[in-house]
Amino acid sequence: MMQQVQLGGTRLCAWPEGRVAVERGGEAWVQSEAFVPWIALPNGEPLFFSQARVEMSPLKTGVGAGFCWLWSGFANGLRLETRVWVAHTGEVRFELIPLRDAPVEAVHWPAPFVWEEKTSQSCTVLPMMQGCLVPGNWPEEIKAVQPPYFFERSGYMPWIGQVRRGAAWLAIVEQAWDAGYELLHPPGGPTRLHLVWRECMGRVGYPRRFSLKLLAGGYVELCKAYRQTVRAQGGAVPLAQKLARQPKLARLIGCPVIHTWSRFAVKPESALYDPQNPQQNDRLVTFAQRQAQLQRLKARGVQKAYVHLDGWGAAGYDQRHPDVLPVNGRAGGAGGLRALAAACRAQGYLFALHDQYRDYYLDAASYSEANAVLDRHGARPAGCTWNGGRQTFLCASLARDYVERNYRRLDALGIPLDGAYLDVFSVVELDECLDPRHPMTRRECSAYRCGCFDFIAQRYGIASSEEPLASTVDHLALCHHAPYPTAPRLNGGAQRGVPVPLFNLVYHDCIFIPWDLGEGAASVMPNGRSGFLYALLNGGMGYLPIEPTARELEKAAAVAALHEKVALSEMTLHEFIAGDPERQRTLFANGISVEVDFRHNTWRIEQTNDVEVR
């Protein structure tokens, strides 16, 4: 028999089998009766909640009321308690608590809300990369870009939501290091979306929780509700606060990014090796040549820039990490790199190095298998994809020692740096390690990676990494990019759903994000749209080639001029003008609005008494 409670304007209905419905403001969200929560066992078999004994009872605390269910009699001995209750604020709390633990792969709980919506006005909201909407009637199949876990590309931020008829729900996950979601959207819909709790060291491990907020509005309101939650917890640290700690970051405002390289070599065993064009597998541009290019760039009027250099190490790009030193001799050695860095400083350019502390190459001078990640199956995961060939993964609990060692050596060589880019730490999956000499949960892995960023920030000023995640953004000044999800490639191709800047609606004023400014065939944006217009729409930085054309200089200058105005301002709104996906508008907290028209390749920036049209 269904039971119910009402508190803070929210009504909660509950059934003995563990299913619930929630209602607020006249809009009800009902969990699917057809979906049975289940547990994925290590052997791949499912264990359904319906196979357990269940006892339902009321739950009342000093801050809320609801119901709990005791699940026992599972074949593997697992004993669980689930709770759903309404807080005095009106939000609904969901809890999954292991009372007697057992080995699992994942727990698929709770059931998704019934979602039969097949209209363009109803949508699923996903923080997949920069963000996307999946309209209820979207004509194509939608899949996550990677295994759909949070703090990876499928979930820059730890939340999901859905919108219909001006009402929405937002689920904010607390233990997101070990969580994700399952998304099923066949061509034409409907969409099914539910949370998945990943094992921790092979077990449920600890209580899992998320908060469900019932809101009026759409995807912008979901972003703002999440931002408010994070800010209340001390997160979403604004750039203005980061600048107060490290004034050097102010030099990134209105600054183009020059991403360049020196030595690029690929081993024959690497998946990236090109046997058809062997000359592409070993390329070199010396430090002195790069220095001359940057001096010519300065002479062309580029007064400030952030220079990111790949391939400066002994064997070149993505080679022999974490033992990247000595500096590449063919490129000019330590003296050549020192001269390049000093020349950048003399002409007012910031200078940072690419580096990497996850891919652990077997030919690294200090390689020891004992330092590699050990998974729960007793194996040390390995690969041979990148330039350097065969590798395992360095346990992140050991990474900071290598970071500190290498940058002390660079300091001893007298190479003046403004920062370093620690590749992949802020995008690839969080690692678990079960080696008893250096055990590590995913949550600890995240903390260790952020500790490496903090070391770079404290020592040089500018810490950067590949893509921005909610778990790393407060530790970074800059990322490589934060693109929208596309198919079949991750950076260019057909759009997945409808691209929207969910991440920037939350974090625009918290991190500097560069954008590729390519257009037409050179664009890596969804459906080949203009990267230049997306950079303006998002109020971001722009990439500039080291030897740009006049048009590339013009575009970079326009992006930099806008960035000067909005870099430290919250993005308060994104909208499709008259519902047209080719015409979009963003608004920033300082009153500046940006309108772009992808169809006609035009843009417009407005502020009181300041209108510019191109």
Side-chain angles (χ1 to χ4, degrees):
M1 180 181 297
M2 186 269 285
Q3 301 181 48
Q4 61 180 310
V5 297
Q6 187 159 338
L7 192 65
T10 299
R11 185 164 70 103
L12 170 67
C13 302
W15 286 265
E17 69 272 21
R19 188 169 59 93
V20 302
V22 293
E23 181 182 344
R24 187 178 180 88
E27 190 71 22
W29 303 89
V30 183
Q31 285 184 333
S32 171
E33 193 171 1
F35 180 95
V36 178
W38 59 286
I39 300 159
L41 297 176
N43 63 6
E45 294 183 3
L47 186 61
F48 293 97
F49 276 50
S50 58
Q51 296 174 253
R53 295 187 299 273
V54 59
E55 301 173 33
M56 176 182 172
S57 58
L59 175 70
K60 189 172 184 179
T61 72
V63 294
F67 305 93
C68 66
W69 293 261
L70 179 63
W71 307 85
S72 61
F74 285 111
N76 65 347
L78 188 65
R79 185 180 173 93
L80 296 172
E81 182 175 281
T82 58
R83 297 179 173 189
V84 184
W85 53 281
V86 184
H88 65 92
T89 58
E91 70 180 25
V92 185
R93 310 283 177 83
F94 288 73
E95 301 177 84
L96 172 73
I97 304 169
L99 301 179
R100 184 190 300 140
D101 217 337
V104 301
E105 279 292 314
V107 181
H108 293 247
W109 175 90
F113 289 118
V114 175
W115 189 258
E116 298 299 332
E117 308 292 323
K118 292 188 178 183
T119 72
S120 60
Q121 304 305 310
S122 302
C123 63
T124 295
V125 186
L126 298 174
M128 189 190 299
M129 302 177 72
Q130 180 65 232
C132 73
L133 309 178
V134 183
N137 64 348
W138 189 253
E140 300 166 2
E141 181 182 24
I142 297 290
K143 295 181 178 179
V145 297
Q146 285 179 323
Y149 300 122
F150 296 118
F151 302 150
E152 298 179 26
R153 284 194 172 104
S154 289
Y156 276 7
M157 300 177 285
W159 60 267
I160 54 176
Q162 290 181 315
V163 177
R164 70 183 183 201
R165 296 187 294 274
W169 63 262
L170 169 68
I172 301 176
V173 177
E174 294 184 19
Q175 292 78 26
W177 306 276
D178 299 315
Y181 59 88
E182 184 167 280
L183 169 72
L184 296 174
H185 179 86
T191 308
R192 193 182 81 185
L193 177 70
H194 70 269
L195 289 170
V196 179
W197 306 100
R198 198 176 185 181
E199 54 74 31
C200 178
M201 308 296 270
R203 295 173 174 263
V204 180
Y206 58 89
R208 312 301 183 92
R209 299 184 175 92
F210 72 93
S211 297
L212 188 79
K213 296 180 183 291
L214 305 177
L215 306 167
Y219 63 92
V220 173
E221 285 72 24
L222 295 187
C223 290
K224 295 310 172 185
Y226 173 71
R227 176 183 167 96
Q228 183 179 27
T229 298
V230 174
R231 291 296 299 272
Q233 297 168 350
V237 177
L239 283 165
Q241 187 174 327
K242 294 179 181 179
L243 265 63
R245 294 197 300 260
Q246 179 46 262
K248 182 182 289 185
L249 301 185
R251 295 173 58 193
L252 289 168
I253 298 173
C255 185
V257 175
I258 300 170
H259 189 140
T260 191
W261 55 275
S262 190
R263 175 82 192 284
F264 184 90
V266 187
K267 290 191 172 181
E269 64 267 28
S270 165
L272 296 179
Y273 187 81
D274 185 355
Q276 305 304 318
N277 301 284
Q279 71 281 1
Q280 295 298 312
N281 297 311
D282 195 347
R283 291 173 279 158
L284 176 73
V285 179
T286 68
F287 301 138
Q289 288 173 307
R290 292 302 188 203
Q291 182 178 336
Q293 289 173 310
L294 291 170
Q295 288 169 340
R296 289 194 294 270
L297 191 64
K298 177 77 171 186
R300 294 179 68 185
V302 178
Q303 296 303 308
K304 59 181 180 179
Y306 172 84
V307 179
H308 166 119
L309 183 68
D310 292 339
W312 55 274
Y317 178 70
D318 268 2
Q319 297 267 2
R320 300 184 189 173
H321 292 291
D323 299 322
V324 65
L325 288 165
V327 176
N328 191 276
R330 288 180 58 193
L337 184 60
R338 181 166 54 246
L340 173 59
C344 284
R345 181 159 294 185
Q347 65 187 58
Y349 290 1
L350 296 162
F351 182 74
L353 298 176
H354 168 282
D355 207 354
Q356 210 273 118
Y357 293 90
R358 184 180 184 249
D359 296 338
Y360 191 27
Y361 289 96
L362 270 59
D363 63 350
S366 63
Y367 180 81
S368 170
E369 186 182 78
N371 292 336
V373 165
L374 182 72
D375 68 22
R376 63 184 184 281
H377 306 296
R380 299 195 189 270
C384 194
T385 298
W386 312 116
N387 292 25
R390 289 187 292 273
Q391 61 161 93
T392 56
F393 299 107
L394 178 67
C395 182
S397 67
L398 309 175
R400 180 159 175 164
D401 286 340
Y402 286 95
V403 174
E404 293 190 14
R405 178 202 67 177
N406 286 348
Y407 286 91
R408 287 196 177 98
R409 290 177 178 176
L410 285 166
D411 289 346
L413 293 171
I415 298 168
L417 300 177
D418 295 299
Y421 172 94
L422 304 187
D423 202 1
V424 312
F425 265 4
S426 184
V427 71
V428 297
E429 66 183 87
L430 294 168
D431 296 314
E432 279 189 335
C433 183
L434 277 78
D435 191 313
R437 292 162 291 191
H438 43 82
M440 177 180 69
T441 64
R442 295 186 189 92
R443 181 175 186 173
E444 291 169 335
C445 178
S446 180
Y448 288 132
R449 291 179 181 182
C450 289
C452 294
F453 298 144
D454 292 342
F455 172 81
I456 296 298
Q458 292 160 10
R459 198 170 191 87
Y460 303 111
I462 302 174
S464 62
S465 192
E466 191 161 352
E467 297 178 35
L469 308 174
S471 54
T472 60
V473 66
D474 290 337
H475 303 266
L476 297 173
L478 181 71
C479 67
H480 178 65
H481 60 178
Y484 299 94
T486 53
R489 296 180 290 116
L490 291 176
N491 190 15
Q495 65 188 46
R496 278 185 168 96
V498 178
V500 285
L502 303 181
F503 190 85
N504 269 337
L505 281 163
V506 177
Y507 289 110
H508 177 269
D509 59 332
C510 302
I511 187 168
F512 296 111
I513 299 177
W515 292 80
D516 189 293
L517 306 186
E519 299 180 81
S523 175
V524 296
M525 296 298 128
N527 291 3
R529 293 191 185 98
S530 166
F532 169 61
L533 293 185
Y534 268 125
L536 292 173
L537 185 70
N538 283 279
M541 304 171 75
Y543 278 104
L544 180 67
I546 198 167
E547 292 185 331
T549 65
R551 175 58 179 155
E552 287 168 336
L553 281 171
E554 181 185 359
K555 289 191 296 183
V559 169
L562 176 61
H563 194 246
E564 289 274 3
K565 299 176 182 178
V566 302
L568 305 185
S569 290
E570 176 187 353
M571 180 187 288
T572 58
L573 177 70
H574 170 269
E575 62 182 352
F576 298 100
I577 300 172
D580 184 352
E582 301 303 319
R583 297 176 62 212
Q584 300 183 32
R585 176 176 177 261
T586 51
L587 179 66
F588 296 89
N590 61 358
I592 292 178
S593 70
V594 181
E595 294 183 14
V596 301
D597 187 327
F598 290 105
R599 186 177 292 109
H600 299 101
N601 204 36
T602 59
W603 51 280
R604 179 186 186 95
I605 298 172
E606 291 188 295
Q607 191 178 39
T608 305
N609 301 321
D610 181 9
V611 179
E612 185 176 4
V613 182
R614 294 283 180 94

